[in-house]
Structure formats: structure tokens, C-alpha cells
Amino acid sequence: MPEAVGLPGAIPLVESEVAERAAGLLPDKNAAIVTYCSNPACPNSEAVARKLTGQGYTNVRKYREGIQDWVEAGLPIESGVPSGH
């Protein structure tokens, strides 16, 4: 399994896994959830957010600028996390 880089505390979830894994990973449909991707050109955060909203999650936001913006701001990341693919 490839390793991914993520924001601290992030839960890896891709669009194709939302239907199967979201309820187990994110049981509180009213919790604040932020989706993000590698950079603004990546469509995955939008796709995951749309699927979560479609499943009844009420507080979903997108961090459009993603990991690229986070790193450029000098904020910490986690690496060595299984990507889930």
C-alpha cells in the first residue's frame, strides 16, 4: 500500500469508499468535517464532500487549497499513513 501525506488527525477517504466506509469512520452526521486534496486543481475533495452531503452529513466544508497551501504556510503534516488505496 502506498504511503500518503496528510494533515494531522486526518482520516483518509476517497470518493469510491464513501458509501462503504463513511458511516463507520464518521458516525456523527452533524460533526464538522473538512475535506481536502493535494491542491486546488484536484477534484477529490469536492467529490467526497458531495457524497458525504448526499448521505446526510450536515457540516461538510472543503479546504480547497489543500495540502499544498498547508505546507506553504509551514504547518505540520503526517507522513507514512496508509493511503487506503
Side-chain angles (χ1 to χ4, degrees):
M1 214 183 280
E3 291 185 350
V5 173
L7 306 187
I11 299 170
L13 185 64
V14 296
E15 180 184 11
S16 63
E17 299 173 336
V18 172
E20 180 183 322
R21 298 183 61 216
L25 292 172
L26 308 163
D28 181 356
K29 291 200 174 196
N30 296 312
I33 297 171
V34 177
T35 63
Y36 69 91
C37 201
S38 56
N39 58 51
C42 177
N44 295 331
S45 62
E46 174 68 33
V48 170
R50 214 176 302 122
K51 288 237 179 184
L52 289 170
T53 302
Q55 287 192 355
Y57 289 88
T58 62
N59 194 8
V60 180
R61 302 285 186 264
K62 294 169 291 298
Y63 178 20
R64 192 178 79 78
E65 294 80 6
I67 293 174
Q68 179 181 346
D69 179 64
W70 189 269
V71 169
E72 288 173 359
L75 298 168
I77 58 170
E78 293 179 345
S79 60
V81 179
S83 68
H85 295 281

